[in-house]
């Protein structure tokens, strides 16, 4: 990967190769195995193929001479093939490694087009190798793009074919659940930590980040690591292969300059790194004096028209040992001698210090040596024939190669991390104008510290200075700090909301059998309180700099809260409307909580589906904007149009819930009774609409993300507090008043007879109820009353009727007055009266019942009494008549005094 980089290739070799690298061929013909060399062979000149199988030897002295003077994807691939082939020849020439086995080579082309990614075609080739080439036991891959290696290597792992690469890196390979048979002669771990150490050593605080979506397996790990080492990401760019365009490059360069980010950290493969670096250099945007680019791969020039001198001062971190072994020169020269066999007819020879480019020759050589070493160990524990028949493939996962004792060119001995990549420290490297790689710093093996390499010059930054340039303007972050006054106030409001919810929940649970609580439905009241508590919790995500997780939380919690509260209110009041509108007895299932909760669950199911799709498709990332020259904001932004569409869909659904609530209000507007919540629901809808409109106006008037998050949190708090506070306050006052002024609960289920006398005056329309015998209230549900009346001829008439013990409520202002009485219904030719005889105090009352609203009292069904509910029924022990206000009561009450 690096021209002339002897330190990167400084390390050791296979023990068996110490002095016998290129010996005379031994007799190793008992068995044979095949290594598949997979790469873009179609782009090499004079290559012959049968399908994907290369049928001739692509190694030629003329190509070696030609490809020793330039660094590109093509030359890097070619030298990987040359040096891997030399390693196979060396192993076949040595009786100490795989003594009973010869390694054959089959080359396969996995390249189809220069346009885009060839991963899909490479996956087809992998399946072809598995199905049609049973002699292949291992794969050496050298691709132009990491994406190709990522896609095909997962297929090889499924087929239990150990696969090794000497040129491509990606953190995706560290996932051994997906890549249990993948090995790398480069390091895929420690990029973020090494970059942090290097930037911290320069005193950098502000950076811009460019990252390739198919290159990183866990972008959040990158952001977390950079944040932990006190690096502020002023702007970041997620780029896919399809977005590698001149327009995107210009946009990225302009945004880097706009934010004055002087240090650009790029996590991408060589091709993408080179495109953005060289393209922006040509545009004179964010490249050159005052700017530092730091990557993890050496940038490839996108074409001959680009100014290669721009590569000067590009820096990157690379996993490698620092010290060279004493025999390094001898072994490396033996490889170069094998190359000279091809090039001498063309009057060209290679030597260690001639500066000719041989790519990642050391890594490619060691890749084959490590494969042979691991297979040799498995062959010794089973048999060469077992390995040749591919019957030992399950043993050839990455663990078989972690500690084989192989002493190679890049490490002595080679050790792999549990992630299957090289366990090495990191070097800080710089590229000069000639493409020569110069190390200047090294980390420890655990990437905890970094030091300048003694005896080597410091890095020279663009502009010819050894002093790191300043990292740009220092911006004040417009975020809500929890320790600020505003942050403390919002947190106090949050705790107040939770406290009110808790108190109301305790009140409801303790009085769940009370008619005041039961009239509001205990289960739905609990749902509303839970929804409100979730909504109050949503304000926890407004503090500090937003992250993708906090963006998700700030959407999920308020949305769920709104849907839970709105759906519970809608379903509860809709059920009351259905019961009151019924002309006949309703089936029991309609009156059960289970049906209502099922309908509620359907409402919530729609909300959950919308939120789930929004979360998976929105591709949230944090966008930084500058509101002033020295202040910046952070906004949750979507990486796809699907996120915006789904967010609007959720908003439309919430509007539909509000409209449904309005329809419910219209339906129950004439209902009077303890179960009617028309006034309460109307206040909630009105306040919700008002606060939402105010919030929209505030957000429209200020593009500040800080203001938007704060106004949204306060709007949510106000709406929920109206919902919970009104009901909690009225419920608490009613329960207090009842416990202080009402009669004791009605007693149980015996029957008795009481004699009552009701007199009449001459006025036919007036009656004077008489106070009854209060002992009749201390008995059962149904009480027989004997009513005595006196006619105009002064003849007494006795009437026996059935009365029921009732508790009825009369609202007087903000307080309710509860009365306990015996009730009966009497009819004559002129009117129908409901007679109430108080049990302990108060005057008897008679209420005129309109004929059109009267139904006979039945032991099987409730009756409707002048627009109010008179609850009756077989074993009901308490009958309730509810007048919602004194004014409404007076509309149909006629005093008979």
């Amino acid at each position: 990967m690096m021209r002339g980089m002897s330190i990167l290739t400084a390390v050791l070799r296979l023990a068996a190769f110490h002095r016998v690298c290129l010996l005379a061929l031994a007799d190793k013909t008992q068995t044979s195995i095949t290594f598949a060399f997979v790469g873009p062979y179609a782009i090499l000149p004079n290559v012959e193929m049968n399908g994907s199988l290369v049928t001739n030897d692509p190694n030629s002295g003329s190509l070696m001479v030609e490809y020793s003077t330039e660094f590109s994807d093509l030359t890097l691939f070619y030298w990987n093939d040359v040096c891997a082939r030399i390693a196979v020849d060396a192993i076949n020439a040595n009786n100490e490694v795989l003594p009973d086995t010869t390694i054959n080579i089959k080359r396969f082309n996995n390249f189809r087009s220069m346009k885009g990614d060839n991963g899909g075609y490479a996956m087809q080739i992998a399946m072809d190798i598995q199905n049609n080439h049973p002699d292949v036991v291992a794969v050496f891959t050298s691709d132009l793009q990491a994406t190709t290696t990522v896609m095909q290597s997962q297929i090889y792992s499924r087929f239990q074919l150990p696969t090794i690469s000497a040129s491509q890196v990606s953190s995706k390979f560290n996932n051994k659940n997906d890549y249990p048979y993948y090995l790398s002669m480069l390091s895929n771990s420690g990029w973020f930590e090494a970059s942090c150490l290097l930037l911290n050593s320069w005193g950098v605080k502000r950076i811009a980040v460019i990252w390739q979506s198919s290159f990183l397996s866990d972008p959040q790990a990158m952001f977390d690591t950079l944040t932990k080492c006190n690096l502020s990401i002023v702007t970041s760019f997620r780029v896919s292969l399809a977005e590698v365009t001149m327009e995107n490059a210009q946009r990225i360069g302009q945004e880097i300059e706009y934010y004055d980010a002087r240090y650009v950290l790029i996590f991408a493969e060589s091709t993408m790194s080179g495109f953005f670096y060289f393209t922006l250099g040509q545009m004179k945007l964010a490249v050159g004096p005052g700017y530092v680019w730091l990557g993890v791969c050496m940038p490839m020039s996108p074409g001959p028209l680009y100014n290669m001198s721009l590569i000067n001062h590009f820096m990157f971190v690379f996993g490698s040992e620092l010290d060279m072994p004493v025999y390094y020169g001898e072994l490396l020269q033996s490889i170069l001698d094998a190359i000279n066999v091809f090039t001498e007819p063309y009057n060209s020879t290679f030597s260690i210090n001639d500066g000719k480019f041989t790519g990642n020759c050391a890594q490619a050589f060691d890749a084959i040596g490590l494969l042979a070493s691991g297979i040799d160990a498995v062959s010794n524990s089973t048999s060469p024939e077992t390995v040749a028949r591919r019957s030992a493939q399950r043993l050839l996962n990455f663990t078989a190669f972690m500690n084989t004792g192989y002493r190679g060119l890049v490490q002595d001995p080679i050790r792999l991390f549990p992630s299957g990549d090289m366990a090495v420290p990191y070097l800080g490297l710089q590229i000069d104008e000639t493409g020569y790689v110069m190390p200047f710093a090294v980390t420890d093996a655990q990437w905890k510290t970094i030091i300048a390499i003694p005896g080597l010059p410091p890095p020279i930054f663009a502009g010819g200075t050894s002093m790191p340039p300043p990292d740009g303007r220092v911006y004040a972050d417009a975020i809500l700090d929890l320790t600020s006054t505003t942050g403390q106030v919002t947190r106090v409001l949050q705790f107040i909301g939770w406290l009110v919810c808790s108190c109301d929940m305790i009140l409801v649970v303790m009085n769940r059998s009370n008619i005041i609580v039961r009239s509001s439905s205990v289960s739905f009241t609990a749902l509303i309180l839970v929804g409100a508590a979730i909504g109050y919790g949503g304000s926890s995500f407004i503090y500090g700099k937003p992250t993708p997780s906090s963006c998700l939380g700030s959407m999920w919690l308020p949305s769920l809260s709104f849907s839970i509260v709105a759906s519970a209110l809608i379903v509860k009041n809709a059920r009351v409307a259905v019961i009151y509108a019924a002309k006949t007895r309703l089936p029991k299932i309609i009156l059960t909580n289970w049906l209502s909760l099922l309908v509620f669950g359907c409402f919530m199911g729609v909300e959950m589906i919308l939120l789930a799709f929004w979360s998976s498709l929105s591709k949230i990332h944090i966008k930084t904007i500058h509101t002033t020259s020295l202040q910046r904001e952070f906004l949750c932004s979507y990486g796809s149009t699907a996120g915006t569409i789904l967010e609007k869909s959720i908003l439309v659904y919430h509007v539909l819930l509000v409209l449904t609530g309005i329809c419910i209000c219209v339906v129950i507007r004439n209902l009077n009774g303890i179960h009617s919540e028309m006034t309460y629901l109307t206040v909630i809808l009105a306040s919700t609409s008002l606060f939402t409109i105010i919030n929209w106006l505030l957000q429209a008037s200020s593009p500040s993300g800080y203001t938007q998050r704060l106004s949204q949190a306060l709007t949510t708090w106000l709406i929920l507090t109206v919902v919970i506070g009104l009901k909690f306050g009225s419920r608490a006052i009613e329960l207090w008043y009842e416990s202080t002024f009402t009669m004791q609960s009605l007693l149980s289920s015996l029957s008795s007879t009481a004699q009552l006398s009701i007199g009449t005056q001459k006025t036919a329309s007036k009656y004077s109820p008489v106070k009854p015998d209060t002992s009749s209230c201390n008995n059962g549900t149904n009480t027989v009353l004997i009513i005595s009346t006196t006619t105009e001829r002064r003849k007494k008439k006795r009437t026996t009727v059935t009365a029921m013990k009732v508790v009825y409520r009369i609202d007087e202002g903000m307080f309710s007055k509860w009365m306990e009485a015996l009730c009966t219904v009497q009819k004559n030719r002129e009117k129908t009266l409901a007679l109430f005889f108080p049990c302990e105090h108060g005057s008897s009352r008679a209420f005129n019942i309109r004929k059109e609203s009267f139904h006979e009292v039945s032991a099987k069904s409730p009756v409707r009494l002048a627009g109010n509910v008179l609850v009756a029924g077989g074993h009901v022990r308490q009958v309730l008549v509810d007048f919602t206000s004194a004014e409404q009561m007076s509309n149909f009450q006629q005093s008979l005094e």
Side-chain angles (χ1 to χ4, degrees):
M1 184 175 188
M2 290 138 303
R3 176 182 176 184
M5 182 52 197
S6 59
I7 292 184
L8 286 182
T9 56
V11 284
L12 312 172
R13 58 176 177 159
L14 183 65
F17 288 0
H18 254 85
R19 305 188 184 282
V20 285
C21 242
L22 299 170
L23 300 179
L25 202 65
D27 183 14
K28 304 176 68 172
T29 58
Q30 295 184 32
T31 59
S32 66
I33 59 176
T34 300
F35 285 179
F37 285 17
V38 179
Y41 287 95
I43 63 176
L44 293 176
N46 303 318
V47 169
E48 299 174 4
M49 293 188 295
N50 179 13
S52 63
L53 181 65
V54 178
T55 57
N56 66 329
D57 187 352
N59 295 159
S60 71
S62 61
L63 282 182
M64 294 179 188
V65 173
E66 179 182 352
Y67 291 164
S68 66
T69 58
E70 64 173 294
F71 172 74
S72 67
D73 286 331
L74 173 61
T75 58
L76 182 62
F77 154 67
Y78 183 74
W79 284 111
N80 281 346
D81 181 88
V82 170
C83 296
R85 178 255 182 89
I86 293 173
V88 170
D89 291 342
I91 294 169
N92 287 335
N94 187 352
N95 272 341
E96 297 185 35
V97 181
L98 295 171
D100 301 313
T101 304
T102 297
I103 300 175
N104 298 320
I105 298 174
K106 283 185 178 179
R107 293 179 173 89
F108 295 89
N109 171 61
N110 65 359
F111 178 84
R112 184 160 51 183
S113 170
M114 291 297 294
K115 297 180 179 179
D117 145 27
N118 291 276
Y121 182 65
M123 294 170 70
Q124 295 179 29
I125 301 307
M127 297 181 69
D128 177 63
I129 292 173
Q130 165 67 15
N131 296 330
N132 300 318
H133 300 275
D135 54 324
V136 173
V137 299
V139 177
F140 171 72
T141 178
S142 181
D143 300 301
L144 299 182
Q145 295 175 330
T147 306
T148 305
T149 310
V150 166
M151 296 178 69
Q152 69 182 2
S153 296
Q154 194 166 7
I155 301 298
Y156 289 129
S157 283
R158 289 183 180 273
F159 295 148
Q160 297 182 332
L161 285 172
T163 306
I164 196 164
S165 173
S167 56
Q168 295 297 347
V169 292
S170 172
S171 64
K172 295 194 174 207
F173 297 132
N174 296 342
N175 181 357
K176 303 323 284 183
N177 291 324
D178 292 337
Y179 300 93
Y181 284 78
Y182 183 82
L183 319 168
S184 178
M185 294 311 300
L186 305 174
S187 182
N188 300 311
S189 307
W191 297 338
F192 312 139
E193 292 83 355
S195 300
C196 277
L197 291 174
L198 188 55
L199 291 170
N200 285 341
S201 71
W202 292 335
V204 177
K205 298 295 183 184
R206 304 170 65 258
I207 60 172
V209 176
I210 304 172
W211 55 282
Q212 181 179 339
S213 57
S214 59
F215 190 70
L216 297 184
S217 61
D218 186 6
Q220 192 57 47
M222 172 192 68
F223 287 113
D224 292 343
T225 303
L226 297 177
T227 302
K228 285 179 183 177
C229 63
N230 299 317
L231 290 173
S232 175
I233 303 173
V234 297
T235 184
S236 65
F237 309 93
R238 174 187 177 275
V239 185
S240 66
L241 291 173
E243 295 170 318
V244 180
T245 63
M246 299 292 287
E247 292 78 11
N248 269 335
Q250 184 176 20
R251 176 184 63 85
I252 289 172
Q254 290 173 343
E255 193 163 340
I256 290 172
E257 288 196 346
Y258 175 77
Y259 293 139
D260 198 27
R262 298 307 181 111
Y263 287 80
V264 182
L265 193 55
I266 181 165
F267 293 107
E269 59 191 42
S270 295
T271 305
M272 184 178 288
S273 298
F275 174 81
F276 285 111
Y277 181 71
F278 287 106
T279 300
L280 291 177
Q282 293 284 82
M283 295 179 177
K284 301 188 184 310
L285 284 175
V287 172
Y291 290 93
V292 178
W293 281 64
L294 179 65
V296 294
C297 293
M298 185 174 177
M300 296 280 191
S301 173
L305 299 180
Y306 287 81
N307 182 4
M308 276 303 294
S309 65
L310 290 172
I311 203 170
N312 185 20
H313 312 301
F314 186 96
M315 301 182 189
F316 63 104
V317 293
F318 185 81
S320 174
E321 295 286 357
L322 178 62
D323 298 326
M324 291 187 297
V326 293
Y327 59 83
Y328 168 78
E330 177 189 352
L331 180 55
L332 182 59
Q333 188 58 56
S334 67
I335 297 173
L336 297 177
D337 289 342
I339 295 173
N340 290 335
V341 172
F342 291 91
T343 62
E344 283 176 351
Y346 297 90
N347 299 318
S348 177
T349 57
F350 288 71
S351 62
I352 293 178
N353 298 316
D354 61 9
K356 292 181 179 179
F357 177 71
T358 55
N360 284 3
C361 187
Q363 284 85 354
F365 186 90
D366 282 345
I368 299 300
L370 183 62
L371 278 179
S373 180
I375 293 173
D376 185 41
V378 172
S379 178
N380 292 334
S381 64
T382 56
S383 69
E385 292 76 15
T386 300
V387 172
R389 292 195 307 268
R390 285 176 59 171
S391 299
Q393 294 302 113
R394 62 183 180 81
L395 303 176
L396 292 176
N397 58 54
F398 77 99
T399 59
F401 305 92
M402 289 182 64
N403 291 290
T404 64
Y406 171 74
R407 303 178 66 193
L409 280 166
V410 295
Q411 195 178 35
D412 179 25
I414 286 183
R415 300 181 305 277
L416 302 183
F417 280 126
S419 50
D421 58 333
M422 291 290 295
V424 290
Y426 269 81
L427 299 178
L429 306 168
Q430 180 178 18
I431 309 172
D432 68 5
E433 294 181 356
T434 66
Y436 191 84
V437 179
M438 301 173 293
F440 58 84
V442 62
T443 72
D444 63 341
Q446 289 74 38
W447 319 312
K448 300 296 183 183
T449 61
I450 191 169
I451 60 170
I453 299 176
L456 294 180
I460 303 300
F461 298 94
T465 176
S466 60
M467 292 295 295
D471 59 359
R473 298 188 299 269
V474 177
Y475 291 93
D477 293 340
I479 60 175
L480 181 58
D481 190 350
L482 186 56
T483 60
S484 66
T485 302
T486 306
Q488 291 176 348
V489 169
T490 54
R491 179 52 61 93
V492 169
L493 292 177
Q494 182 185 47
F495 282 124
I496 289 174
W498 280 336
L499 180 62
V500 173
C501 289
S502 301
C503 292
D504 201 7
M505 183 67 80
I506 293 172
L507 193 67
V508 168
V509 172
M510 292 180 64
N511 297 276
R512 60 187 178 277
S513 59
N514 190 291
I515 189 63
I516 299 173
V517 175
R518 290 175 57 211
S519 66
S520 296
S521 178
V522 175
S523 56
F524 281 97
T525 299
L527 284 173
I528 291 171
L529 292 174
V530 170
I534 292 174
Y536 287 127
S539 62
S540 300
F541 297 102
I542 67 173
Y543 304 108
K545 180 182 176 182
T547 63
S549 298
S550 67
C551 292
L552 288 173
S554 62
M555 182 68 172
W556 269 83
L557 267 63
S559 297
L560 283 178
S561 173
F562 180 86
S563 289
I564 291 173
V565 173
S567 301
L569 287 171
I570 288 170
V571 173
K572 179 175 67 168
N573 284 277
R575 180 173 66 173
V576 172
V578 169
I579 293 173
Y580 274 77
K583 300 299 183 181
T584 59
R585 184 182 178 186
L586 295 173
K588 283 187 177 181
I589 188 172
I590 295 180
L591 305 177
T592 61
N593 267 345
W594 291 111
L595 179 62
S596 300
L597 290 173
L598 179 61
V599 176
F600 169 81
C602 293
F603 278 107
M604 292 308 303
V606 174
E607 179 77 21
M608 296 289 287
I609 290 172
L610 289 173
L611 285 172
F613 276 105
W614 173 82
S615 301
S616 61
L617 299 177
S618 57
K619 299 179 181 177
I620 293 177
H621 63 277
I622 306 304
K623 182 178 181 180
T624 307
I625 62 172
H626 288 73
T627 54
T628 67
S629 59
L630 292 176
Q631 189 177 56
R632 61 182 181 175
E633 297 276 359
F634 304 99
L635 298 177
C636 299
S637 182
Y638 301 142
S640 67
T641 56
T644 304
I645 294 172
L646 286 167
E647 183 184 33
K648 292 180 179 178
S649 301
I650 294 171
L651 178 61
V652 169
Y653 180 64
H654 290 174
V655 172
L656 291 176
L657 289 179
V658 172
L659 293 176
T660 305
I662 293 174
C663 293
I664 295 295
C665 281
V666 173
V667 171
I668 66 175
R669 67 187 184 281
N670 294 322
L671 287 185
N672 298 313
I674 193 171
H675 297 88
S676 175
E677 294 185 338
M678 192 275 292
T679 304
Y680 174 56
L681 191 56
T682 302
V683 172
I684 291 174
L685 292 171
S687 60
T688 299
S689 302
L690 176 62
F691 293 144
T692 302
I693 291 171
I694 294 174
N695 178 49
W696 284 346
L697 292 175
L698 287 173
Q699 293 191 358
S701 63
S702 173
S704 166
Y706 168 82
T707 303
Q708 291 179 6
R709 290 193 297 274
L710 184 60
S711 65
Q712 180 180 345
L714 291 177
T715 301
T716 303
W717 187 89
L718 288 171
I719 293 172
L720 292 175
T721 303
V722 168
V723 174
I724 302 304
L726 285 178
K727 203 64 177 177
F728 172 64
S730 62
R731 186 182 290 122
I733 291 173
E734 289 178 4
L735 289 171
W736 169 77
Y737 188 85
E738 181 193 51
S739 65
T740 306
F741 297 106
T742 61
M743 301 296 105
Q744 295 181 350
S745 300
L746 293 174
L747 298 179
S748 56
S749 58
L750 298 175
S751 296
S752 66
T753 299
Q755 292 185 354
L756 301 177
S757 178
I758 300 180
T760 64
Q761 297 179 350
K762 292 183 179 180
T763 306
S765 62
K766 302 278 186 175
Y767 290 81
S768 294
V770 178
K771 182 176 176 62
D773 181 1
T774 58
S775 63
S776 63
C777 289
N778 297 327
N779 296 301
T781 301
N782 297 321
T783 301
V784 178
L785 301 181
I786 299 175
I787 301 177
S788 297
T789 59
T790 303
T791 66
E792 292 182 358
R793 299 180 180 180
R794 298 190 178 276
K795 292 183 179 180
K796 291 188 176 182
K797 181 180 178 181
R798 296 169 62 87
T799 304
T800 302
V801 297
T802 299
M804 292 170 289
K805 292 172 293 301
V806 298
V807 174
Y808 65 99
R809 184 181 75 171
I810 300 176
D811 289 347
E812 298 176 346
M814 63 181 295
F815 296 100
S816 298
K817 183 177 181 181
W818 290 86
M819 302 293 293
E820 184 179 15
L822 298 176
C823 173
T824 187
V825 177
Q826 292 293 298
K827 290 194 294 184
N828 58 30
R829 287 179 298 180
E830 297 178 0
K831 59 187 66 180
T832 301
L833 301 177
L835 307 177
F836 290 83
F837 305 103
C839 291
E840 295 190 8
H841 64 84
S843 59
S844 301
R845 315 282 279 192
F847 301 102
N848 187 21
I849 303 174
R850 296 193 302 270
K851 292 182 180 180
E852 63 270 13
S853 63
F854 171 71
H855 298 277
E856 288 286 350
V857 176
S858 169
K860 296 183 179 179
S861 64
V863 298
R864 185 170 177 174
L865 176 60
N868 299 276
V869 176
L870 175 62
V871 180
H875 299 289
V876 177
R877 297 187 180 183
Q878 180 170 303
V879 180
L880 174 65
V881 176
D882 173 35
F883 301 102
T884 57
S885 70
E887 290 77 16
Q888 291 172 346
M889 179 184 69
S890 64
N891 291 336
F892 57 86
Q893 174 186 346
Q894 292 185 2
S895 174
L896 304 183
E897 299 175 357

